[in-house]
Amino acid sequence: MLRKFPVLSETFVLNEILALEARGVEVHIFPLAPSRDPRFHEGVGRLKATMHHVPSDLSTLLRHARRLADRKPERFRKRLLRALGSGKPERLWRFLQATYVADRARHLRVTHLHAHFANHPSVVAHDAEKLIVVPFSFTAHAYDMFRRADTKTIAKTMADAKFTVTISEHNVEFLKAIAKNASTRIELVRNGVNMERFAPNGGAPQG
């Protein structure tokens, strides 16, 4: 689950999905918003994953919400009240997005949800997990952790996640500091470069 896909600057997401598919994992991608950038990496064409764009119209989201409410009314009510209790319209919108993700994931028999970025995507994944009881995890990068980050929400999300991934030792220490009870479930996965495709081709810098 991501805010948008594909995004030219997020090569790491594309590489991760391709690596999962190379290992035989069936992947479904849930972008929360459409990508308007006409530029994309050539690797996008190799993806086997199915795209499920989260609808932006309220009527469609409410249809999925009603379906989940009918199936598990108490579970749905608890998560809805949590979203309403925040007093933030955006938080309620994320919950409605999660109803679509949860309903589709249930239909597709998805066994694990993973979100990239510790903000909107992880909030939606967290709600979806509560609605259908499927394990979830998320990757925390940088902007989503350090710029206008809601550390209380990140800590709550980590507490319920099966594991949290981040990309540097500095990030690991930051996450441990805000969610001590989840510190043993933080996995360090660095963003690397495929040296078969990119290698030094010049001399040593002068000066």
Side-chain angles (χ1 to χ4, degrees):
M1 194 176 317
L2 312 104
R3 195 173 74 87
K4 294 181 179 181
F5 187 85
V7 176
L8 188 65
S9 62
E10 296 174 4
T11 315
F12 45 88
V13 175
L14 173 62
N15 288 343
E16 183 175 292
I17 297 172
L18 288 171
L20 287 170
E21 291 186 335
R23 288 162 174 76
V25 177
E26 182 181 0
V27 178
H28 294 272
I29 303 173
F30 289 87
L32 300 180
S35 177
R36 305 297 186 188
D37 193 340
R39 302 166 298 169
F40 54 86
H41 293 283
E42 53 83 23
V44 172
R46 303 202 309 272
L47 285 174
K48 300 175 184 176
T50 304
M51 297 275 280
H52 306 272
H53 288 94
V54 177
S56 59
D57 60 293
L58 183 60
S59 60
T60 300
L61 293 177
L62 288 175
R63 185 168 67 250
H64 289 276
R66 281 194 294 269
R67 192 146 51 206
L68 287 173
D70 290 342
R71 291 189 69 254
K72 299 289 182 179
E74 185 60 23
R75 189 182 298 162
F76 182 90
R77 185 183 70 85
K78 285 182 178 180
R79 210 61 192 172
L80 174 60
L81 289 176
R82 183 182 290 268
L84 290 170
S86 71
K88 300 176 181 178
E90 182 183 345
R91 181 65 187 85
L92 180 59
W93 181 252
R94 299 304 171 193
F95 171 77
L96 291 174
Q97 289 182 313
T99 64
Y100 171 83
V101 174
D103 195 34
R104 291 295 299 144
R106 182 185 63 83
H107 177 75
L108 295 165
R109 298 183 179 180
V110 169
T111 57
H112 188 95
L113 297 168
H114 186 79
H116 264 282
F117 298 102
N119 43 27
H120 308 324
S122 66
V123 168
V124 173
H126 193 188
D127 276 344
E129 177 266 341
K130 291 296 184 183
L131 290 168
I132 58 173
V133 193
V134 170
F136 86 103
S137 54
F138 68 98
T139 300
H141 290 270
Y143 179 92
D144 50 323
M145 295 170 57
F146 303 122
R147 185 175 175 83
R148 299 178 183 176
D150 183 347
T151 54
K152 289 184 179 179
T153 296
I154 294 174
K156 290 177 182 177
T157 306
M158 290 176 65
D160 285 344
K162 188 172 184 179
F163 58 87
T164 302
V165 178
T166 195
I167 62 171
S168 71
E169 291 177 2
H170 176 74
N171 287 7
V172 170
E173 295 306 314
F174 177 84
L175 292 173
K176 285 181 178 180
I178 66 172
K180 294 180 180 179
N181 64 323
S183 62
T184 58
R185 290 176 288 172
I186 300 172
E187 300 290 340
L188 173 58
V189 179
R190 301 183 189 277
N191 290 336
V193 175
N194 183 350
M195 296 305 291
E196 293 182 359
R197 295 192 61 198
F198 303 98
N201 59 359
Q206 301 299 313

